[in-house]
Amino acid sequence: MTDHQLKELLDQMTLEEKTGQLVQLATPFFEGASDRGQITGPMQDMGISDEDIKKAGSVLGASGASEIKNIQKKHLENHRLSIPLLIMSDIVHGFKTIFPVPLAIGCSWDVELAEQSSAIAAKEAAVSGVHVSFAPMVDLSRDPRWGRVMESTGEDPFLNSTFARAFVRGFQGNLESDNYKVAACVKHFAAYGAPEGGRDYNTVDMSEWMLRESYLPAYKAALDEGCEMVMTAFNILNGIPSTGNKALMRDLLREEWGFDGVLISDWGAVKELLPHGVAANEKEAAEQALKAGVDIEMMTSCYVNHISELIEEGKLTEDLVDEAVLRILTLKKKLGLFENPYRDADEEAEKEFILSAEHRAAARNLASKSIVLLKNEDVLPLKKEKIALIGPFSNSTDILGPWSWAGAPEDTITLDQGMKNHVTEDQLLISNGCEIETGTEEQLQEAVEKAKQADTIVLAIGEHSDMSGEAGSRAEITIPKVQVDLLKKIKALGKPVVAVLFNGRPLDVKEIIENADAVVEAWYPGTEGGNALADILFGEVNPSAKLSMSFPYSIGQVPVYYNNYNTGRPKDAPDAQVRYVSQYLDNPNEALFPFGYGLSYSNFEYSEPVLSSETITKEEPLRVRLNVKNTSDTAGEETVQLYVRDLVGQVVRPLKELKDFKKIYLEARETRQIEFTISEEQLRYHHADMEYKSDAGEFEVFVGGNSRDVQSKKFNLSD
Ligand code: BGC
């Protein structure tokens, strides 16, 4: 189909057919769906008629080639112009082969594996009939109370942007010519990751400067990579709900950034303009959202029920509707749906690709590279002696994490299964000890008895996956008390204890660190999680992950992040007073484990960085050289990180900003020379008038294995 034919198609459409394209409904609404019995409660009250459903433009949440083909077939039969449906789903960290949660993928600092993970997710989803994935989620977050931190790659704009690009490449490839690709939809625009108090859906109030400096870059990076769609956010931004925010979507996204793809509301967010208190009724909500630039309304019926009336009253023009429809039809055309409305949906390919050995191997590999070693007092790797595996996550399949709705427990490798591949049955004693939030004396006693018989104890503890994810905010971000008590009881036996943590956010882990000899942050490692963890615990894989989000020292410290600003009274200034400085009286200022932190079974030693020159110019970049030596007898991977500080800016500059990193593999005792370059472009930032440029003057460059333990040198940027 040509662009001209697309316009002709638009000309043939009635206004009702056009508004139909702007509606997205969940699978059960559609003829051909395998379970149509799920339209209950709010879904039933949507005020959608059978005629509206026949004209709808897209489906949410369908999966499975056979079901999707049925829905599409029936729809094409019912639609006067045979316009195919777009099928969209949340394919966030894998489809059926589940990869670690994105926050864990962020900790891998492995951009290629991240891309591979979304390419595999795309392949499994595409053969199951999906056309669009509601991912990547790139909301920068500094507050681990927010349950959705597990969905993004963390707290750093540069790292998040790098991963955003990788995920988009993996999902989309060349959408028009490659097989097994899906369109990506970056979300949630904008700044959804900064809700006050970490409470989901809550107020976001942020200066334009902060927005542009930290929160917008990852969305922009996804779009620069060609991401086809954008989803709005639930939150208000500076007083205006994102979903009705014209300045955000028409002015910034469309005009300034030139985005001409499809913009979709988040679930029900158009109608949420009512409880937000900026629209008196659904008609006003429709007017605001469409004027603000929302093309597709997800799961409410404000557009379908009110657009024609708004046009009749002269409040909206049909041109605005045409523009939105054309964007949606253009995406359908790009996906080739007019020629082949089923695209890659194929039952045979589903059997061949889904959960294939290749996909499982990739999931295992990425999981093992996402697991962060936080502490190790000579306990790990485990020796093949008698091990007691204790705790509610010992044999739990709840290790896929939120947003893994297509992943099945029966396909999941649990920790005990993984460990059994390394030791004999009688070397491994298993006991839950308690549940996630409750426990009995009998459970505890049984665990203690088993632990007594073992040489080393592995304690698998954490948060239930419902304790993070959407609507999963927590105010007390600790491991539930019953599990901490279990750890203390086990620790009292005086044997080496390894705590393995399963959770969707950085937690306050002080008590865990105090009571365990080794601590392994497993996150939610996915389908192959048990194997990946066992690989790490037994030393088949040397841990290499580094935190992509700081672990707070305490909850009262939140938000705590590495790239913060100085105050006028820094605590560590040479002339700092004892009291009148920026500090807590009862807590350190710093995170317990900073951004970029993670241990290995190897030891790496960094030489001082050497700069190619003291002064760089706009034309001549700076080269930073250093040697990294593996001083141990174990080969391993290290992520060498480069940070910069602009010492005097027109506006305040972060104490450190990640500018580059290199992941290297070093044989035992090997030394490698690393070279980074820093160009003038990397030193640019938003000034008070939002101009993006660099300032001549003095800078400091830092290199190291995490954001805290670094060596530095100063250099100048000349005019
Ligand atoms: C979430 C989105 C998701 C959508 C569709 C919403 O509740 O905020 O991230 O894509 O549901 O499932």
Side-chain angles (χ1 to χ4, degrees):
M1 161 141 349
T2 62
D3 287 342
H4 180 71
Q5 286 169 319
L6 216 56
K7 294 231 168 67
E8 279 182 352
L9 176 63
L10 182 68
D11 290 342
Q12 289 171 48
M13 291 169 78
T14 63
L15 183 59
E16 286 67 37
E17 283 162 348
K18 289 176 186 171
T19 46
Q21 289 302 307
L22 312 187
V23 183
Q24 173 159 111
L25 300 169
T27 318
F29 281 92
F30 292 88
E31 250 186 83
S34 48
D35 185 359
R36 301 208 64 202
Q38 291 170 23
I39 306 176
T40 53
M43 283 204 202
Q44 218 159 36
D45 302 336
M46 266 180 62
I48 289 277
S49 70
D50 282 348
E51 280 312 300
D52 295 333
I53 298 170
K54 286 183 185 153
K55 295 191 186 76
S58 57
V59 185
L60 163 79
S63 69
S66 140
E67 177 179 43
I68 290 178
K69 283 187 187 166
N70 279 339
I71 293 176
Q72 191 73 289
K73 186 163 173 291
K74 291 266 186 281
H75 180 79
L76 292 169
E77 285 164 11
N78 288 331
H79 197 284
R80 185 179 70 94
L81 296 166
S82 299
I83 300 179
L85 286 163
L86 266 172
I87 315 289
M88 308 197 191
S89 268
D90 290 276
I91 315 297
V92 177
H93 52 112
F95 181 61
K96 300 231 181 197
T97 304
I98 301 294
F99 288 85
V101 292
L103 186 60
I105 297 180
C107 296
S108 74
W109 296 58
D110 199 318
V111 182
E112 269 141 48
L113 291 186
E115 180 175 338
Q116 185 193 42
S117 76
S118 63
I120 288 175
K123 190 169 186 173
E124 293 193 356
V127 297
S128 307
V130 175
H131 306 142
V132 177
S133 166
F134 290 138
M137 185 281 214
V138 303
D139 302 322
L140 184 135
S141 187
R142 296 166 166 172
D143 192 332
R145 291 172 296 182
W146 190 48
R148 298 192 81 165
V149 296
M150 47 65 54
E151 255 178 270
S152 89
T153 48
E155 74 184 30
D156 182 68
F158 176 73
L159 196 64
N160 284 2
S161 300
T162 308
F163 277 112
R165 282 176 174 272
F167 288 134
V168 171
R169 279 197 301 274
F171 281 126
Q172 293 193 166
N174 185 337
L175 200 56
E176 284 168 81
S177 56
D178 292 354
N179 285 329
Y180 311 132
K181 291 293 172 191
V182 296
C185 175
V186 65
K187 65 191 187 183
H188 306 82
F189 198 68
Y192 180 40
E196 277 182 5
R199 179 157 54 80
D200 207 1
Y201 318 123
N202 203 11
T203 302
V204 177
D205 191 80
M206 185 181 286
S207 69
E208 185 182 350
W209 167 72
M210 178 61 85
L211 195 64
R212 287 183 185 267
E213 275 290 281
S214 297
Y215 288 80
L216 293 182
Y219 307 107
K220 178 72 165 53
L223 297 178
D224 288 345
E225 201 63 48
C227 185
E228 293 289 345
M229 284 185 59
V230 174
M231 186 186 291
T232 70
F234 285 126
N235 54 282
I236 67 166
L237 181 62
N238 303 334
I240 302 171
S242 295
T243 307
N245 199 322
K246 183 171 167 296
L248 195 60
M249 296 184 289
R250 288 232 183 250
D251 303 348
L252 191 132
L253 183 64
R254 294 238 186 257
E255 276 189 28
E256 191 183 320
W257 290 1
F259 174 66
D260 61 0
V262 176
L263 185 53
I264 188 168
S265 81
D266 201 346
W267 177 294
V270 173
K271 198 171 165 187
E272 286 177 19
L273 296 177
L274 273 68
H276 272 303
V278 296
N281 48 48
E282 293 188 24
K283 191 163 123 189
E284 279 186 23
E287 184 184 345
Q288 278 178 33
L290 194 68
K291 281 187 172 160
V294 175
D295 299 321
I296 299 182
E297 177 186 18
M298 187 198 294
M299 283 305 288
T300 46
S301 50
C302 306
Y303 279 12
V304 77
N305 290 333
H306 299 286
I307 281 183
S308 68
E309 209 180 327
L310 284 162
I311 292 177
E312 270 164 36
E313 291 169 7
K315 289 186 174 144
L316 283 180
T317 62
E318 193 161 341
D319 283 356
L320 214 54
V321 174
D322 285 357
E323 227 183 78
V325 174
L326 197 57
R327 279 193 284 262
I328 296 160
L329 296 180
T330 303
L331 181 56
K332 293 183 177 184
K333 168 181 169 276
K334 259 194 193 173
L335 287 158
L337 298 183
F338 291 104
E339 287 77 30
N340 174 13
Y342 308 107
R343 204 167 146 90
D344 291 319
D346 177 349
E347 291 88 334
E348 287 310 307
E350 278 180 312
K351 285 187 210 134
E352 187 182 344
F353 298 134
I354 287 179
L355 287 160
S356 66
E358 192 193 327
H359 291 187
R360 279 185 174 275
R364 179 173 182 164
N365 188 23
L366 182 50
S368 69
K369 302 212 170 191
S370 304
I371 294 165
V372 189
L373 182 61
L374 294 176
K375 176 179 178 181
N376 187 18
E377 310 258 280
D378 295 328
V379 198
L380 291 174
L382 292 173
K383 291 172 208 71
K384 300 205 168 166
E385 47 194 18
K386 214 160 203 168
I387 298 163
L389 174 60
I390 311 280
F393 280 95
S394 300
N395 47 7
S396 170
T397 54
D398 185 24
I399 60 169
L400 302 180
W403 291 115
S404 52
W405 55 275
E410 62 274 18
D411 297 324
T412 307
I413 308 291
T414 56
L415 179 54
D416 66 326
Q417 285 168 356
M419 289 178 75
K420 280 176 196 160
N421 293 331
H422 295 259
V423 288
T424 57
E425 289 265 337
D426 53 306
Q427 278 177 306
L428 194 65
L429 305 161
I430 301 167
S431 174
N432 289 129
C434 62
E435 310 298 323
I436 303 285
E437 291 181 280
T438 56
T440 63
E441 194 50 38
E442 288 78 7
Q443 282 177 307
L444 178 66
Q445 275 322 313
E446 189 203 293
V448 170
E449 285 315 312
K450 294 230 164 117
K452 278 184 186 160
Q453 297 166 44
D455 302 298
T456 306
I457 294 123
V458 174
L459 203 79
I461 53 180
E463 292 180 309
H464 188 280
S465 62
D466 279 349
M467 291 164 95
S468 60
E470 187 175 350
S473 296
R474 294 181 69 204
E476 303 293 337
I477 47 170
T478 48
I479 302 271
K481 185 172 178 304
V482 64
Q483 298 181 64
V484 179
D485 290 346
L486 173 67
L487 167 63
K488 288 179 181 166
K489 278 266 162 28
I490 299 290
K491 170 73 185 160
L493 300 177
K495 301 189 178 190
V497 178
V498 178
V500 180
L501 310 181
F502 296 83
N503 44 289
R505 56 159 62 77
L507 293 168
D508 172 353
V509 290
K510 266 197 311 301
E511 283 201 285
I512 311 297
I513 299 294
E514 279 161 20
N515 287 288
D517 303 282
V519 179
V520 175
E521 176 54 72
W523 305 111
Y524 291 114
T527 304
E528 284 286 324
N531 279 331
L533 267 162
D535 289 341
I536 294 276
L537 293 175
F538 289 102
E540 301 268 315
V541 175
N542 188 351
S544 61
K546 307 257 190 181
L547 296 177
S548 59
M549 191 169 178
S550 305
F551 269 51
Y553 180 87
S554 71
I555 298 158
Q557 231 193 10
V558 165
V560 60
Y561 49 96
Y562 88 95
N563 46 357
N564 60 339
Y565 304 96
N566 230 358
T567 65
R569 295 184 174 200
K571 190 177 168 220
D572 51 5
D575 58 349
Q577 294 191 32
V578 175
R579 182 177 178 97
Y580 295 99
V581 291
S582 182
Q583 67 183 342
Y584 294 106
L585 297 177
D586 54 351
N587 260 209
N589 285 1
E590 291 75 32
L592 181 62
F593 295 113
F595 176 82
Y597 176 88
L599 303 174
S600 156
Y601 297 149
S602 314
N603 290 314
F604 300 105
E605 216 173 78
Y606 283 66
S607 73
E608 250 188 56
V610 176
L611 309 189
S612 56
S613 141
E614 275 177 18
T615 304
I616 68 163
T617 63
K618 291 202 167 147
E619 293 73 38
E620 186 66 27
L622 178 75
R623 290 193 308 281
V624 182
R625 282 207 190 103
L626 69 146
N627 290 330
V628 181
K629 180 174 184 191
N630 180 355
T631 58
S632 73
D633 292 325
T634 310
E637 276 185 300
E638 169 71 339
T639 300
V640 184
Q641 301 159 38
L642 177 106
Y643 300 87
V644 166
R645 179 178 178 193
D646 184 345
L647 290 166
V648 182
Q650 187 220 41
V651 295
V652 297
R653 307 295 302 127
L655 289 170
K656 271 181 205 131
E657 272 180 292
L658 182 72
K659 291 291 178 185
D660 205 352
F661 60 90
K662 287 194 200 304
K663 198 161 180 180
I664 53 166
Y665 176 84
L666 292 180
E667 296 292 350
R669 307 278 158 196
E670 188 187 343
T671 301
R672 177 91 54 90
Q673 190 181 71
I674 310 288
E675 183 174 299
F676 290 104
T677 51
I678 302 177
S679 68
E680 177 273 332
E681 223 176 301
Q682 287 167 288
L683 305 176
R684 295 180 191 169
Y685 67 93
H686 291 95
H687 286 59
D689 60 1
M690 299 307 132
E691 198 184 336
Y692 191 65
K693 60 176 184 190
S694 63
D695 292 335
E698 204 178 17
F699 292 79
E700 198 168 358
V701 57
F702 310 83
V703 286
N706 66 65
S707 62
R708 186 180 296 166
D709 304 313
V710 288
Q711 304 189 55
S712 76
K713 279 276 161 67
K714 290 191 178 154
F715 67 93
N716 283 289
L717 172 67
S718 71
D719 278 319

